[in-house]
Amino acid sequence: MKTVNIWNRGWWRLRRVLRCAALCLLLILAFARPGFSLKKEILGWIEHVRVGKSRLELTAKLDTGADTSSLDASKIRRFRGKDGNRWVEFRVEDQTGRRIRFKKPLVRTAYIKEHKGPSQKRSVVLMEVCLGEYLQEIEVTLVDRSDFAYPVLLGRNALEGLAVIDPAMSLTKEPRCPVEETK
């Protein structure tokens, strides 16, 4: 007669249940990530965006090869505010020639490596950017992009969890976020 150890049989069941519970926990954690969506919107490599709390519409290149985002700005001036904090004043111009002056707190200074040449020191500020229905505040570096075709470059940090970029498409969405007029 063969004896069966009940403990061994129960141990294997317990291991199976624990393995299943661990897998469920991993799936829950994966799907609970901020910005995670089972259905992501498909956007083109070029899209219209709205920048700031204004109706300033610009054309943006969506570049998953770039980490950071950048904004075409002119008359960039750093200064210390009355509160003692560092600020940046700059102007942004749309395709119609309308210019808006911004004053934003300086978040940090970034050193951006150019393809040809030395690193470039840039001011980084937080800007609201509306892309389609998505309104988010992102870090942008301020730089003269007048030599580029598009005044805004949205990098991976701004696009993560938002959409899938299809390089065969462009201008698929118009900015539809609610806006406030600046004074």
Side-chain angles (χ1 to χ4, degrees), residues 33-47:
R33 237 180 43 224
F36 182 84
S37 172
L38 289 175
K39 183 180 178 201
K40 292 188 181 181
E41 196 159 358
I42 298 174
L43 297 173
W45 72 287
I46 303 296
E47 294 290 346

Side-chain angles (χ1 to χ4, degrees), residues 152-167:
V152 179
L153 180 125
L154 294 179
R156 277 193 307 272
N157 295 340
L159 298 169
E160 183 180 1
L162 182 71
V164 176
I165 309 305
D166 184 347

Side-chain angles (χ1 to χ4, degrees), residues 39-98:
K39 183 180 178 201
K40 292 188 181 181
E41 196 159 358
I42 298 174
L43 297 173
W45 72 287
I46 303 296
E47 294 290 346
H48 290 294
V49 296
R50 192 176 293 136
V51 178
K53 292 182 178 182
S54 66
R55 297 191 186 280
L56 191 64
E57 290 194 22
L58 302 170
T59 308
K61 177 180 177 184
L62 281 55
D63 188 353
T64 59
D67 283 332
T68 57
S69 300
S70 65
L71 175 66
D72 181 24
S74 62
K75 301 194 185 222
I76 302 167
R77 182 179 72 89
R78 291 178 171 202
F79 64 96
R80 286 237 181 242
K82 293 177 183 174
D83 56 1
N85 294 327
R86 297 182 310 171
W87 288 74
V88 182
E89 181 179 44
F90 58 97
R91 290 195 181 140
V92 178
E93 183 177 337
D94 68 7
Q95 287 88 344
T96 66
R98 187 174 76 143

Side-chain angles (χ1 to χ4, degrees), residues 1-5 9:
M1 173 186 250
K2 187 174 179 183
T3 58
V4 178
N5 188 342
R9 196 179 304 164

